[in-house]
Amino acid sequence: IRGTAAPAEKITLFVGTNQRVTTAAENGTFRFRFRAPWAPGRYPIALEVPRDPIVRIELGRFRVRGLRLYAVGDVNLGDRPGTAIATYGARYPWLSVAPVVRAADIAIANLECSVSTRGYPVPGKQYTFRGKPSSLRAMASYAGVDVITLANNHTLDYGRLAFADTLSYAHEYGMKTIGGGRNLDVARRPALFRLGGIRVALLGYSDVRPFGFDAGPTWSGTAPAFPSYISSDVRRAKNRGADVVVVYFHWGVERTFSPDSRQRSLAAVAFDSGATVVLGAHPHVLQPIEQPHRRRLVAWSLGNFVFGANSPGTERTGILRMRLGHAGILGYALRRARIGGVFGIQPTLLY
């Protein structure tokens, strides 16, 4: 905040109940630099000069809100969604939900396919998914997805050449990637954000691991959900200054509506190491959202999102909207949606 007063005059700045004092320079100019309060709310701002009578200038109110982290489940840009996109365009899957997703400060999704025009299906694998680069561009620029986790059982469906393309296209379109990379070290590396003074680190791991999908010291792939990796990576992120650590897992049993003991065990490892939010995908249906502690949150499965819904429950989905502060979760809600449309792949908001 800048202004002018009488030379050497003292000026007091009020931000809520906090105050700071400075002295105007010889030419009467002054400047305040102040850090915004951490707690969400509206803070009145005013200047006072100790004249007779006291001069007080109201400058309005300064709004502090929680950081908006939004998460969705499985996104497949190939198979039936690919057919829908070829027919109606790359924006078609996102028409209903994009305005909500774009409102996030950070939006994350599980990308359950490779994105490439190269490669061949992995031999012997029942389902292999590959989407077009233009579909991923729309996911970033139109739908507003900022981060994709590649830690799942489909991102290497067309081999490592197509996986390299997936990484390249995501970064070209402005997305950050977690859970996969050119080697194991990169696959375990967090995506980092600093927004509104809050430092957020996001990590991804897969507990559904087709043979040959794991990254290694010198080869690309996904980050396996080994407890030692999870604990080490979360602690490292906290030690390097992250206020909030988000861990996105690919885990669980398909079409089951409750978390199993393996999911609970891995979540406990993440939380015990300092994670704030644990997200999950793979069951293709929604599982409960719980708060094991006041400022922490786990969404056991976010279900399908842009994905063919073929069996009961797989069509129910939503956008998990979280508000974060330095201490963790400030609040959350699931904006419910239902997968439908001409090809049965388009999430449509219910309210």
Side-chain angles (χ1 to χ4, degrees):
I1 293 178
R2 296 183 177 89
T4 58
E9 194 166 40
K10 290 189 180 298
I11 305 100
T12 302
L13 170 71
F14 293 88
V15 181
T17 59
N18 298 322
Q19 56 184 285
R20 298 184 67 178
V21 179
T22 193
T23 302
E26 292 183 2
N27 63 358
T29 61
F30 66 87
R31 184 178 73 165
F32 285 99
R33 293 178 63 88
F34 66 96
R35 185 179 296 277
W38 298 131
R42 293 183 178 272
Y43 298 85
I45 301 178
L47 293 174
E48 276 192 3
V49 182
R51 297 174 183 167
D52 188 15
I54 292 176
V55 175
R56 183 178 176 90
I57 303 172
E58 302 290 344
L59 300 179
R61 290 180 176 270
F62 186 88
R63 183 187 175 213
V64 178
R65 63 166 174 82
L67 185 150
R68 292 190 286 246
L69 171 67
Y70 292 1
V72 299
D74 298 333
V75 173
N76 177 12
L77 302 176
D79 196 46
R80 279 166 51 192
T83 303
I85 289 168
T87 305
Y88 294 109
R91 293 185 175 186
Y92 173 73
W94 308 98
L95 291 177
S96 175
V97 297
V100 176
V101 178
R102 284 199 303 264
D105 298 305
I106 304 171
I108 184 170
N110 173 49
L111 181 67
E112 192 129 20
C113 65
S114 64
V115 175
S116 179
T117 58
R118 302 189 292 174
Y120 298 93
V122 173
K125 198 167 186 289
Q126 183 178 9
Y127 300 109
T128 53
F129 304 139
R130 179 177 62 176
K132 293 183 177 180
S134 57
S135 303
L136 189 65
R137 184 191 298 117
M139 183 175 172
S141 62
Y142 177 69
V145 175
D146 304 294
V147 187
I148 50 176
T149 176
L150 304 176
N152 58 61
N153 57 320
H154 286 291
T155 49
L156 274 85
D157 276 356
Y158 279 73
R160 286 187 161 81
L161 190 64
F163 181 66
D165 288 344
T166 306
L167 290 164
S168 178
Y169 285 124
H171 299 156
E172 178 183 343
Y173 302 146
M175 290 175 162
K176 296 188 179 185
T177 56
I178 60 173
R182 66 178 183 272
N183 57 48
L184 182 59
D185 285 343
V186 176
R188 293 172 56 188
R189 195 174 295 167
L192 300 173
F193 292 84
R194 185 182 179 118
L195 297 168
I198 300 175
R199 292 161 293 190
V200 182
L202 301 100
L203 294 158
Y205 304 94
S206 182
D207 199 42
V208 185
R209 302 162 45 227
F211 179 77
F213 275 39
D214 288 358
T218 58
W219 61 89
S220 64
T222 60
F226 295 162
S228 59
Y229 290 177
I230 299 162
S231 177
S232 174
D233 298 345
V234 172
R235 292 182 191 277
R236 184 182 299 114
K238 293 292 289 186
N239 291 337
R240 292 182 177 178
D243 301 298
V244 172
V245 178
V246 180
V247 183
Y248 203 136
F249 287 104
H250 206 72
W251 59 7
V253 179
E254 291 187 350
R255 291 179 291 279
T256 59
F257 294 90
S258 299
D260 61 18
S261 59
R262 175 67 174 175
Q263 289 171 265
R264 293 189 180 279
S265 174
L266 291 174
V269 171
F271 284 130
D272 290 346
S273 303
T276 309
V277 175
V278 169
L279 305 171
H282 180 66
H284 297 294
V285 295
L286 291 172
Q287 291 183 351
I289 301 169
E290 300 172 357
Q291 283 197 273
H293 305 284
R294 182 166 173 260
R295 295 299 186 192
R296 295 181 178 181
L297 184 76
V298 55
W300 294 108
S301 173
L302 291 169
N304 291 331
F305 198 65
V306 174
F307 212 97
N310 302 316
S311 55
T314 59
E315 79 286 356
R316 293 196 292 271
T317 186
I319 303 166
L320 178 59
R321 300 183 297 171
M322 296 161 278
R323 291 184 295 111
L324 301 174
H326 285 80
I329 290 288
L330 301 174
Y332 72 94
L334 182 68
R335 183 73 184 272
R336 294 189 179 273
R338 190 177 185 88
I339 297 173
V342 177
F343 289 88
I345 60 90
Q346 185 189 59
T348 301
L349 296 174
L350 295 180
Y351 56 88

